[in-house]
C-alpha cells in the first residue's frame, strides 16, 4: 500500500534531503571519500620533503614528492568543485520542490485565511525564507560528512605524528561544543523576531503599493513613510542584535581555535629543542592542525545555517498550517454531474470573531430557474452567494445542490457544475485569450492529460465575445497591433488590398473624418516632425522624443533652412500657452490645444521670461532644444491656439523630400517611409488600412470608420484573423491595461464560455454602462434561459425577468416572490425600487 505523503506544512526540513536526490547524495559521499584522502596526503608529503628529500639532499625525491604533493592539491581542488556542483543541484532542485509544493498548498487555503494574510507575507515566505532551507538541503550531507571524515583523518594523522600533541590539540573542542549551542540559542531567538519583523515589513510594502491610489488621493505620503520607517527602525534593532549573537558564535569559535596553536608552539617547540620531535614532524603537525580548523569551521557554519534556515522554515510552515476547508478532488470517482436545483435550509455564516453575516436563510430554486438576490447595503447578499458557491464554508444549516451537501462536495465537484463571476473580477497577467480560456483550460487540464486539449474553438470564443460586448475592444486591440512579418507574412498583401478597397469605397465618404496620407500634401492632423519624417523610425535616435537632440537631424534642419522658423514657432507657442493657460489648473483638458504638457508648464514660464530679454540666438542650446521640441510636436489640426504659417508649411514640404533623399543615402535602415504600395510593419494594422489619421475622436465618427473597416475585413475573410491577433493583447498585471468595464465583460465572457449548469453572478455588471448591462441581461434571459442563475443585482429594474426575487436585510431573507408580486405587496422590495416607504 502506498504511503500517504503528509501535507507540506507538516514536513520537517530534514525530510527534504533525500526524496528525489538519493543518487546525487550517494555520489557526493563517494566523491568525499576520495577528497578526504587528497586533503590529508599533502601533509604527509610535507613531512617527507623535509625529513627525507631536504635532510638527505636527494633532488630526485624532492621532485617526486613535490609532484605528488601538487597532484594531490589539484585533485582535491577538482573534487571540491565537483562537490559544490552536486550541492548546488541538490539545493536548487529541493528549493524548487519546496516552493511548488507550498504554493500548491497555499492555493487551497480558505478565503478567510487571505483576509488576514497579506500577499507580502506569502511572497516573503516563498521567495526568501525557503531559500536558506534549500541551501541546507544541498549541504546537509556533503558538508557534515566531509568535515567529520576530514576531522577524523587529520586527528588520526596527528596521533600518528605525536599522541601528546594530538591530545593537546583536541582537548579544546569539548569546551567549544558546550559554549556554542548556548550562544546559538540566543541567536535563534533574535532570528525569530527578525523573521516576524521582515514579514511585517513585506506586508506594509504590499499594502502601500496596492493602495497607492488612496495615498495619492489623500496626499498621505508622510503618514505612510512614517509607518514604514517605524517598522524599518524596529527591524534595524532586531537585525543588529541577531548579527551580534551570530558573530559572537563565530568569534568564540575562532578564539578557541587560535588558542590551540599557542599550546602546540609551546609544547612542540620544547620537544623539538630537546630533540624529542623531528623538525619535519613539527612542521607537518602544525600544517595538519591548521587543516583541522577548516572542517571544524565548516561544521560551525553549517550548524549556523541549519539553525537560521530551520527558524525561517518552521515559521513559514507553521503560519500556513491551516487545513483546507474542502477536498480538492474526489477519490475513486469522477466529479459529480449534478442536477443543479438548489435547497437552502436554516443557513448561517459567522466570522471567526463570531459576527453573524447571515442566519436563518431558507430558500429553494428549481433547476433552470433564475433567482435575483437584492437588498440593502450590507444585507449579506454576496455572503449568501459565496456560501452557495462554496467560496465560504457556512457555519450552520445546509445548502443542497442536486441533493448533495455543498460542504461535503470537493472543489472539483463544484467547479464542474458551478460558475462564479465576482463584482471586482481578477484578471490575470497574460493575454486576452489566456483570461478568456482560463476556466475552460483549468477543467480541460484536470479532465485530460494536462495539456489543455479540447478547448473551445475560435468561433466559440468570438461568439461569447460578441454576446458580452467585448468583441469591439478585442477587434480594436487587433487593429492597433503591429503585424509580425514572419508569423503573419501572408496577411500583409491582404491588408494592402483592404487599404485599396477602403480608399476606393469609403475615401470620399469619410474625407471629413480621416486625413489620408499624401506625399504632396501637408498633413494638418500630424505633427511637424511626422510631416518631415513621413515614415516610422526604425532607430531610437530618430524617434519623436529624440529628434530635438539628434545631431544628424539638427544638421538637416540647418541645411533645409528650418531651424530658425521652428525656433520662432516654438517661441510663439510657448508665449501663447503661458499667457492663456499659465494660471489654470494643470489638467490635461485645458492643454489639449497646446503641444506643451501640464507638467512642463513651469519650466516654459521661465523660458518665456528669458525670451523677454534675449533673442533666439542668445538662448542656451538646452533652451533652444526645448523650443524645438514644442515646435516639432505642433499639430495644426489639434493645437489651434495659433495657425500654421504658410511659409513654414512650404518649407516643411520641401524639407520632407530633402530629408528622404539624404537619409536614404546616408542611413537607409533608419526610417521606413510611408508608401501606399507597401505594407509598413512599423505601423499598426489600423494605420496601414486607414493610410491616414482620424481628424476627430468623436464617437459617431469612430463608429463610421470602424463599420467601414469591419465590412471590408469580412469581405476579405480577415475579421477572425484580426480578432485572433487582438486576443494576444497583453492585459498587464491585474488587467491594468483594461478599463473596469472591459475587465468585467471579460470575466463574464470567461464564465459564459465555460457554460456551467449553475452560474452565480455577484453584482457582475456593476461597472458596465446601461447599454452593456442590457446586453448581458438579454443574454441571461435568452441564451442562458435553461441555466440555473443566481444573481446579486444592484439595478432593480433588471429583476423583472427573473423567476424569483429574494429581498435581504440584516443577514436574513425578508421577502421572496416575482417582481410583480413584490411590487404589489408594497413591502421592502417596493421601498427599494421606489424609494418610498
Amino acid at each position: 500500500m502506498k504511503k500517504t505523503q503528509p501535507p507540506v506544512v507538516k514536513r520537517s526540513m530534514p525530510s527534504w534531503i533525500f526524496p528525489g536526490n538519493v543518487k546525487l547524495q550517494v555520489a557526493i559521499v563517494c566523491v568525499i571519500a576520495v577528497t578526504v584522502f587528497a586533503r590529508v596526503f599533502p601533509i604527509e608529503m610535507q613531512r617527507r620533503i623535509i625529513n627525507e628529500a631536504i635532510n638527505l639532499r636527494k633532488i630526485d625525491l624532492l621532485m617526486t614528492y613535490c609532484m605528488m604533493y601538487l597532484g594531490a592539491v589539484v585533485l582535491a581542488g577538482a573534487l571540491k568543485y565537483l562537490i559544490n556542483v552536486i550541492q548546488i543541484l541538490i539545493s536548487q532542485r529541493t528549493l524548487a520542490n519546496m516552493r511548488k509544493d507550498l504554493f500548491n498548498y497555499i492555493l487551497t487555503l480558505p478565503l478567510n485565511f487571505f483576509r488576514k494574510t497579506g500577499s507580502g507575507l506569502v511572497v516573503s515566505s516563498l521567495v526568501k525564507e525557503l531559500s536558506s532551507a534549500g541551501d541546507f538541503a544541498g549541504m546537509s550531507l556533503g558538508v557534515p560528512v566531509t568535515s567529520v571524515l576530514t576531522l577524523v583523518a587529520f586527528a588520526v594523522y596527528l596521533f600518528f605524528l605525536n599522541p601528546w600533541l594530538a591530545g593537546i590539540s583536541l582537548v579544546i573542542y569539548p569546551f567549544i561544543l558546550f559554549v556554542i549551542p548556548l550562544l546559538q540559542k540566543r541567536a535563534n531567538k533574535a532570528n525569530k523576531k527578525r523573521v516576524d519583523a521582515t514579514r511585517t515589513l513585506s506586508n506594509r510594502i504590499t499594502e502601500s503599493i496596492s493602495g497607492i491610489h488612496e495615498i495619492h488621493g489623500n496626499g498621505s505620503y508622510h503618514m505612510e513613510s512614517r509607518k514604514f520607517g517605524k517598522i524599518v527602525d524596529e527591524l534595524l534593532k532586531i537585525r543588529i542584535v541577531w548579527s551580534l549573537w551570530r558573530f559572537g558564535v563565530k568569534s568564540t569559535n575562532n578564539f578557541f581555535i587560535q588558542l590551540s596553536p599557542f599550546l602546540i608552539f609551546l609544547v612542540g617547540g620544547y620537544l623539538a629543542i630537546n630533540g624529542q620531535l623531528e623538525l619535519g614532524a613539527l612542521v607537518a603537525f602544525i600544517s595538519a592542525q591548521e587543516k583541522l580548523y577548516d572542517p571544524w569551521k565548516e561544521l560551525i557554519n553549517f550548524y549556523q545555517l541549519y539553525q537560521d534556515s530551520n527558524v525561517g522554515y518552521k515559521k513559514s510552515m507553521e503560519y500556513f498550517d491551516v487545513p483546507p476547508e474542502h477536498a480538492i478532488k474526489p477519490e475513486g470517482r469522477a466529479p459529480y454531474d449534478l442536477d443543479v436545483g438548489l435547497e437552502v435550509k436554516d443557513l448561517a455564516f459567522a466570522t471567526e470573531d463570531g459576527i453573524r453575516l447571515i442566519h436563518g436563510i431558507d430558500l429553494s430554486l428549481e433547476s433552470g430557474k433564475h433567482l435575483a438576490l437584492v437588498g440593502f447595503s450590507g444585507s449579506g447578499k454576496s455572503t449568501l452567494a459565496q456560501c452557495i458557491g462554496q467560496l465560504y464554508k457556512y457555519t450552520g444549516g445546509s445548502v443542497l445542490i442536486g441533493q448533495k451537501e455543498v460542504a461535503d462536495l470537493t472543489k472539483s465537484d463544484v467547479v464542474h457544475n458551478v460558475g462564479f463571476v465576482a463584482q471586482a473580477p481578477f484578471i490575470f497577467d497574460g493575454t486576452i485569450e489566456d483570461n478568456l480560456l482560463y476556466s475552460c483550460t483549468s477543467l480541460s487540464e484536470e479532465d485530460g492529460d494536462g495539456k489543455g486539449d479540447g478547448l473551445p474553438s475560435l468561433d466559440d470564443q468570438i461568439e461569447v465575445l460578441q454576446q458580452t460586448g467585448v468583441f469591439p475592444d478585442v477587434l480594436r486591440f487587433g487593429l492597433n497591433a503591429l503585424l509580425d512579418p514572419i508569423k503573419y507574412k501572408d496577411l500583409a498583401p491582404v491588408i494592402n488590398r483592404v487599404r485599396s478597397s477602403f480608399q476606393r469605397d469609403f475615401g470620399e465618404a469619410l474625407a471629413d473624418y480621416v486625413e489620408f496620407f499624401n506625399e504632396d500634401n501637408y498633413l494638418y492632423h500630424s505633427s511637424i516632425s511626422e510631416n518631415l519624417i513621413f515614415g516610422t523610425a526604425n532607430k531610437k535616435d530618430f524617434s519623436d522624443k529624440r529628434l530635438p537632440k539628434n545631431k544628424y537631424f539638427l544638421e538637416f534642419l540647418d541645411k533645409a533652412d528650418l531651424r530658425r522658423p521652428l525656433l520662432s514657432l516654438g517661441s510663439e507657442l510657448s508665449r501663447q500657452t503661458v499667457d492663456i493657460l499659465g494660471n489654470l489648473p494643470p489638467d490635461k483638458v485645458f492643454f489639449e490645444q497646446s503641444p506643451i504638457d501640464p507638467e512642463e508648464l513651469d519650466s516654459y514660464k521661465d523660458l518665456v521670461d528669458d525670451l523677454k530679454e534675449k533673442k533666439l540666438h542668445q538662448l542656451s542650446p538646452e533652451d533652444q532644444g526645448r523650443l524645438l521640441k514644442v515646435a516639432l510636436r505642433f499639430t495644426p489640426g489639434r493645437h489651434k491656439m495659433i495657425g500654421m504659417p504658410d511659409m513654414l508649411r512650404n518649407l516643411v514640404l520641401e524639407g520632407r523630400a530633402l530629408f528622404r533623399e539624404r537619409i536614404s543615402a546616408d542611413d537607409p535602415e533608419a526610417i521606413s517611409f510611408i508608401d501606399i504600395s507597401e505594407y509598413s510593419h512599423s505601423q499598426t494594422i489600423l494605420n496601414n488600412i486607414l493610410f491616414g489619421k482620424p481628424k476627430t475622436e468623436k464617437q459617431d465618427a469612430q463608429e463610421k470608420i470602424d463599420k467601414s473597416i469591419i465590412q471590408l475585413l469580412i469581405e476579405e475573410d480577415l475579421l477572425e484573423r484580426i480578432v485572433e491577433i487582438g486576443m494576444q493583447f497583453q492585459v498587464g498585471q491585474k488587467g491594468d491595461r483594461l478599463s473596469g468595464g472591459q475587465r468585467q465583460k471579460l470575466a463574464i465572457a470567461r464564465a459564459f464560455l465555460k457554460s456551467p449548469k449553475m452560474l452565480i453572478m455577484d453584482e457582475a455588471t456593476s461597472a458596465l454602462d446601461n447599454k452593456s448591462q442590457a446586453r448581458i441581461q438579454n443574454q441571461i434571459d435568452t441564451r442562458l434561459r435553461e441555466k440555473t442563475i443566481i444573481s446579486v443585482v444592484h439595478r432593480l429594474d433588471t429583476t423583472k425577468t427573473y423567476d424569483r426575487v429574494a429581498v435581504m436585510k440584516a443577514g436574513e431573507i425578508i421577502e421572496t416572490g416575482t417582481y410583480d408580486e413584490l411590487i404589489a405587496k408594497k413591502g421592502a422590495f417596493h421601498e427599494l425600487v421606489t424609494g418610498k416607504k
Side-chain angles (χ1 to χ4, degrees), residues 548 566-575 596 604 607-608 611 615-616 619 621-633:
L566 288 176
L567 288 175
S568 298
L569 176 65
S571 174
E572 183 60 24
L573 286 166
S574 299
R575 288 193 183 96
I596 295 177
Y604 278 94
L607 182 54
V608 169
L611 284 170
K615 302 297 184 183
L616 290 174
L619 295 175
E622 291 77 13
D623 286 341
Q624 288 188 12
R626 285 156 67 197
L627 292 179
L628 198 59
K629 179 170 66 174
V630 171
L632 291 173
R633 288 181 189 169

Side-chain angles (χ1 to χ4, degrees), residues 56 108 122 206 223 253 269-270 381 410 459 494 502 613 698 712 732 790 799 817:
L56 299 177
T108 67
V122 178
T206 302
M223 184 172 68
N253 179 60
Y270 175 81
K381 305 183 297 296
T410 67
D459 288 340
V494 183
F502 182 76
E613 301 176 359
K698 291 182 179 179
L712 295 173
I790 300 170
T799 60

Side-chain angles (χ1 to χ4, degrees), residues 433-503:
E433 182 182 36
D434 293 336
N435 279 277
L436 181 64
L437 292 174
Y438 187 81
S439 297
C440 296
T441 302
S442 176
L443 287 178
S444 178
E445 289 183 355
E446 181 179 338
D447 296 340
D449 57 4
K451 297 180 180 179
D453 295 332
L455 294 175
S457 66
L458 180 60
D459 288 340
D460 293 333
Q461 296 174 47
I462 289 177
E463 181 180 6
V464 83
L465 292 176
Q466 291 172 330
Q467 291 171 5
T468 53
V470 75
F471 178 82
D473 299 308
V474 177
L475 178 61
R476 176 63 55 180
F477 294 145
L479 288 171
N480 285 325
L482 296 175
L483 200 62
D484 187 325
I486 298 176
K487 185 176 181 181
Y488 298 104
K489 60 183 179 180
D490 59 316
L491 282 187
V494 183
I495 293 174
N496 279 346
R497 287 203 303 269
V498 174
R499 173 199 295 166
S500 300
S501 301
F502 182 76
Q503 296 218 343

Side-chain angles (χ1 to χ4, degrees), residues 130-199:
L130 291 185
S131 181
S132 57
D135 292 339
F136 163 77
M139 301 169 64
S140 59
L141 202 61
V143 170
V145 170
T146 301
S147 300
V148 170
L149 288 181
T150 305
L151 277 171
V152 171
F154 278 118
V156 170
Y157 184 70
L158 288 177
F159 275 99
F160 165 75
L161 292 174
N162 191 293
W164 286 100
L165 289 180
I168 292 172
S169 296
L170 298 176
V171 74
I172 63 170
Y173 290 98
F175 292 100
I176 299 177
L177 291 174
F178 174 74
V179 174
I180 293 298
L182 295 178
L183 297 175
Q184 186 62 48
K185 187 177 181 181
R186 297 275 188 169
N188 289 346
K189 185 177 180 181
N191 193 23
K192 290 178 181 178
K193 292 182 179 180
R194 178 194 65 83
V195 172
D196 289 337
T198 302
R199 289 177 173 177

Side-chain angles (χ1 to χ4, degrees), residues 48 549 698:
R48 293 192 179 190
K549 295 182 179 181
K698 291 182 179 179

Side-chain angles (χ1 to χ4, degrees), residues 537 539-550 553:
K539 295 185 176 180
K540 291 182 178 179
D541 287 343
F542 287 92
S543 64
D544 288 343
K545 290 183 177 180
R546 297 195 180 188
L547 277 182
K549 295 182 179 181
N550 183 315
F553 184 74

